[in-house]
Amino acid sequence: MRQKIQSLLEQYEGAILGQRSNLRLLLSAILAGGHVLVEGVPGTGKTAMAKTLAKLLDGKFERIQFTPDLLPSDITGSMILNMQEGKFETLKGPIFTNILLADEINRTPAKTQAALLEAMEEKQVTIQGTTYPLPDVFFVVATQNPIEFEGTYSLPEAQQDRFLFKLNINFPEFNEEMEVLRNVLENKLDASLISPVMDLADFSAIQSEIEMVTVGDGILEYIMHIVRRTRETNAIRFGASTRAGISIGKAARAWAYLAGRDYVTPDDIKMVAKPALRHRIQLSPHVELEGAAVDQIIEELVGAVPVPR
């Protein structure tokens, strides 16, 4: 299984250039059973990241373009009348998939955004009072554009907390971007050339193995000190919840597994702390006026917590 996941990671990094760290974090999130909120300007490969991962896993992929007129039933499904048989039938929506790309999720109102809450938290969907389970491997990648705010609806804090990670996608380095340009023009990044590395049964087995990765008491205390520090510093108005600590622990186990270890180290915690916390805390007004960034505050906060031996 470790050989398969390493092979998947190598092909993933070969298909999506310039996002090595974010690809590992995205894979860690799905291995940990979580969901990811991705923020980046258009044309940086956000859709390709989700679609390529679905192909490598031989899983079903669906994409929903969120718009202001999108209805909850457009996501979950609805009941329709079968005129021939004279009875109602359930028409399942695109949410019944393995990897769901919720493209520009902040362009739809809160009522439609909330249609994802039950699915993300409970892995089930209710249509006209009837509950339907989602696939065992179910993963939401939601994207939002940070440069356009006209006609957008900010995600409620409760929904943001459902995401394991928030990833910031930046432009690749010059040489990497040159390689992307060359590969596209030479048709080397054709999605049809990507073949599955494993099936969903293998992936579920790997998820079970990750649950056996050891998280020592010292590491647990380290996580809790970081989370509680977010509630005690004057730089942060609203600190992280208990769910944040759980997310850090689960993601760190997946990150350690990708590194070939069966135990979590403090460095694993440092790697996943930033994407696990940046959407769960709110800076104090005076800190925002000074121009401090969320990532900078998290780095200072984590750096101030003593590292366990």
Side-chain angles (χ1 to χ4, degrees), residues 60 84 103 128 174 208 218 224 227 229 257 262:
K60 186 179 179 183
Q84 293 181 342
D103 208 3
Q128 296 293 323
F174 181 86
S208 299
M224 287 312 306
V227 171
R229 185 67 66 94
Y257 186 89
D262 60 356

Side-chain angles (χ1 to χ4, degrees), residues 181-228:
L181 180 60
R182 180 181 294 108
N183 288 343
V184 170
L185 294 179
E186 295 178 358
N187 203 31
K188 292 181 179 179
L189 294 181
D190 188 351
S192 62
L193 300 177
I194 299 174
S195 57
V197 176
M198 65 178 71
D199 56 25
L200 295 178
D202 288 338
F203 192 79
S204 295
I206 291 173
Q207 287 182 310
S208 299
E209 285 190 5
I210 288 174
E211 294 179 358
M212 305 302 293
V213 173
T214 301
V215 184
D217 290 341
I219 297 296
L220 290 176
E221 291 182 7
Y222 186 49
I223 295 172
M224 287 312 306
H225 282 308
I226 292 173
V227 171
R228 295 182 73 87

Side-chain angles (χ1 to χ4, degrees), residues 110-172:
K111 182 179 181 180
T112 305
Q113 293 173 1
L116 287 173
L117 286 178
E118 181 185 16
M120 292 170 63
E121 191 68 18
E122 307 294 339
K123 282 195 175 182
Q124 64 184 28
V125 172
T126 301
I127 303 174
Q128 296 293 323
T130 304
T131 300
Y132 300 90
L134 290 169
D136 292 335
V137 178
F138 174 70
F139 182 54
V140 175
V141 180
T143 71
Q144 59 182 11
N145 189 339
I147 61 174
E148 282 186 300
F149 296 102
E150 185 176 352
T152 62
Y153 305 83
S154 299
L155 287 176
E157 284 76 8
Q159 186 165 337
Q160 289 195 52
D161 199 41
R162 260 56 174 198
F163 290 99
L164 185 79
F165 281 163
K166 179 182 179 182
L167 302 181
N168 292 333
I169 307 298
N170 299 314
F171 291 112

Side-chain angles (χ1 to χ4, degrees), residues 5 16 35 40-41 82 85 91 97 101 105 112 129 141 146 157 165 182 204 208 212 216 220 233 260 264 274 285 296:
I5 200 67
I16 309 293
H35 311 281
V41 297
N82 187 325
E85 300 184 9
L91 182 64
T97 186
L101 178 66
I105 190 174
T112 305
V141 180
E157 284 76 8
F165 281 163
R182 180 181 294 108
S204 295
S208 299
M212 305 302 293
L220 290 176
T233 175
V264 175
K274 199 182 297 182
Q296 175 188 344

Side-chain angles (χ1 to χ4, degrees), residues 251-288:
R253 287 196 306 191
W255 186 271
Y257 186 89
L258 288 178
R261 285 181 278 102
D262 60 356
Y263 59 92
V264 175
T265 69
D267 285 338
D268 298 326
I269 304 300
K270 291 179 181 179
M271 286 300 304
V272 303
K274 199 182 297 182
L277 291 175
R278 60 165 62 110
H279 58 298
R280 289 187 165 100
I281 62 177
Q282 292 185 20
L283 299 183
S284 299
H286 71 277
V287 176
E288 290 183 333

